[in-house]
Amino acid sequence: GQSPYSASKIGADKIAESYFRSFGVPVATIRPFNTYGPRQSARAIIPTIISQALIEPVIKLGSLGPVRDLNFVKDIIQGFIKVAESENAIGETINIGSGQGITIGELAKLFLDLMSCSKPIVSEGERVRPAKSEVLTLICDNRKARELAGWQSQTPLEKGLEETIAFISRHQERFKTDRYIL
C-alpha cells in the first residue's frame, strides 16, 4: 500500500479472499476506478472543479498531471451487478473501469468547455498530495470485467460529466468553494 487508504483497501480485499480460500464463500473482489456522479462527496476532484467553476474566479487544484480513469456511477453499479451475477467471477479480483485516462488538468479544461466558461486553473501547494503517496497514473485494465462478467463502461465521459454538472448546479449550497476540504 502506497498510502494508508490503499493499505486499508488491500487489507479488506485479503480478508474477503481468505474467506473464499478457507471456507468456499463465493467472493469476488471488485475494484472500481474513480467513480463520479451526482451526490458525490464535495471533497472529490470532480465536485471541486464544478463548484469552483460555478462560483469562483479561479479553479484551485492540487497537481494537474496525475492521470485518472473516471467512471460514471451508473456504469460502476452495473459492474457490481454483472460481477455478482457471474459464476466465472467467484474467487477473482476484477477491475471495473473504462480503461481510458485523463489528466486532472485536462479534466478541468474539459469542465470549463462543457460549462462554457473561461477561468484560470492553478495548482495550489496546500492541495498537492505528499509525493510518496501520489500515484501518477491510474488506468483500469478491465479485461476480466469484459471476459468474466460481460461488463464494459457505457457512459461517455462528457455525458456523465454533464449530468454531474447539472446536479451540482442545482445543489450549490452543498459545496464549499472558499476552502480546501480534506
Side-chain angles (χ1 to χ4, degrees):
Q2 192 166 340
S3 68
Y5 174 77
S6 67
S8 71
K9 309 265 302 166
I10 292 166
D13 289 354
K14 290 301 181 185
I15 289 171
E17 181 184 332
S18 74
Y19 274 83
F20 168 71
R21 292 183 185 280
S22 296
F23 308 112
V25 175
V27 171
T29 299
I30 301 171
R31 293 190 180 145
F33 278 61
N34 295 92
T35 306
Y36 73 91
R39 295 174 186 82
Q40 183 176 12
S41 165
R43 69 176 196 76
I45 189 64
I46 289 177
T48 295
I49 296 170
I50 297 170
S51 59
Q52 287 186 41
L54 288 169
I55 298 168
E56 299 297 326
V58 176
I59 309 298
K60 297 176 184 176
L61 304 173
S63 296
L64 302 177
V67 176
R68 296 296 181 258
D69 185 332
L70 302 171
N71 298 277
F72 193 57
V73 63
K74 292 176 185 177
D75 289 335
I76 295 297
I77 291 166
Q78 284 305 309
F80 272 77
I81 292 168
K82 288 284 210 176
V83 169
E85 293 174 342
S86 172
E87 293 289 324
N88 296 327
I90 295 172
E92 297 289 335
T93 297
I94 300 174
N95 297 329
I96 303 293
S98 71
Q100 299 176 7
I102 186 170
T103 69
I104 299 304
E106 292 167 339
L107 177 64
K109 288 176 187 170
L110 177 57
F111 272 116
L112 294 176
D113 288 345
L114 292 171
M115 297 171 77
S116 299
C117 67
S118 176
K119 297 182 179 195
I121 301 165
V122 299
S123 175
E124 268 192 339
E126 76 171 4
R127 294 172 182 255
V128 174
R129 291 183 179 169
K132 291 182 180 180
S133 76
E134 180 69 274
V135 178
L136 295 179
T137 302
L138 283 173
I139 300 177
C140 178
D141 176 351
N142 61 19
R143 284 178 288 184
K144 281 187 179 180
R146 287 182 281 124
E147 294 167 4
L148 300 177
W151 177 89
Q152 64 183 28
S153 182
Q154 298 295 312
T155 307
L157 181 60
E158 288 81 2
K159 184 179 183 309
L161 294 178
E162 287 170 348
E163 192 169 323
T164 307
I165 290 166
F167 176 83
I168 292 174
S169 295
R170 290 190 311 269
H171 301 282
Q172 292 181 42
E173 72 283 356
R174 297 181 185 185
F175 303 91
K176 311 286 188 249
T177 61
D178 60 338
R179 63 183 167 269
Y180 176 43
I181 301 171
L182 294 176

